[in-house]
Amino acid sequence: ALDPRFQAARLISRKIADAPKKRRLLRWLNAALADRKEKQRPLTVGDVPSAFSALADQLDGVKTSGKQVALDHDSVLHIMDKHGTDAELARGQIPVDPTDFALISDGLQSPVSVTYGDPKTVGGAYMLYTVLDAAGWRYTVIFQVRRYTLVPYTMWKSIKR
């Protein structure tokens, strides 16, 4: 079996290598991480898949169908600061790296579970506690459901068992 890190890197290379989407994502992430004070506009990375919406929209008050998945500057910084360091290893998790943001859309194609977050809302927006599998990893992603977008608010990963 392939090491999951190698498998993830190979999947990303094969799936979006030399594509404008990959270049745009990498430019956005580099800019966000290089200059933390220069806030980047949200980056749309794709449509919310119908498989995800079928589960999420069953929750009372939640509507994700027709929205897009987007990355938010402050959320990405939080994820990298809190879940992208070796401190994750002490919690039995694997540090998140920039390639993981490219895998979110893949995991949304067949989510393992979608429930309300805790708290259920932040600033009036629903929070969804979501478990996704992609490229050998298990991602736990708390999404914030905004007016037009679904944004990863925080995220951590572990080896899929």
Side-chain angles (χ1 to χ4, degrees):
L2 287 174
D3 180 291
R5 289 171 296 194
F6 176 76
Q7 189 177 11
R10 194 173 86 184
L11 175 69
I12 290 167
S13 301
R14 185 174 62 236
K15 189 157 188 180
I16 57 176
D18 301 320
K21 180 178 177 182
K22 177 183 179 184
R23 287 192 302 272
R24 193 169 54 107
L25 174 64
L26 292 176
R27 270 197 314 270
W28 189 92
L29 287 168
N30 283 334
L33 296 171
D35 187 352
R36 304 169 72 79
K37 293 181 182 179
E38 180 65 35
K39 194 165 182 160
Q40 303 298 306
R41 295 176 51 102
L43 175 71
T44 301
V45 294
D47 295 331
V48 174
S50 58
F52 181 84
S53 291
L55 288 176
D57 292 0
Q58 291 178 21
L59 300 172
D60 189 35
V62 175
K63 182 183 181 304
T64 61
S65 56
K67 295 183 188 278
Q68 295 192 310
V69 180
L71 298 179
D72 174 80
H73 179 91
D74 293 335
S75 295
V76 166
L77 293 181
H78 161 79
I79 291 166
M80 294 304 297
D81 289 348
K82 300 295 182 187
H83 305 289
T85 67
D86 285 342
E88 289 296 276
L89 299 171
R91 291 193 283 260
Q93 298 166 13
I94 308 298
V96 171
D97 65 62
T99 61
D100 295 315
F101 294 101
L103 293 171
I104 291 173
S105 295
D106 291 343
L108 287 173
Q109 299 292 337
S110 54
V112 175
S113 66
V114 181
T115 59
Y116 288 117
D118 182 19
K120 187 175 174 179
T121 62
V122 170
Y126 283 101
M127 304 299 284
L128 300 178
Y129 181 93
T130 308
V131 177
L132 311 170
D133 289 340
W137 299 113
R138 167 133 311 164
Y139 292 93
T140 303
V141 186
I142 309 298
F143 285 103
Q144 186 176 45
V145 183
R146 297 183 180 173
R147 187 172 184 180
Y148 300 110
T149 58
L150 186 69
V151 176
Y153 194 75
T154 192
M155 163 172 91
W156 57 94
K157 76 178 179 183
S158 57
I159 294 174
K160 181 181 171 185
R161 299 189 197 283

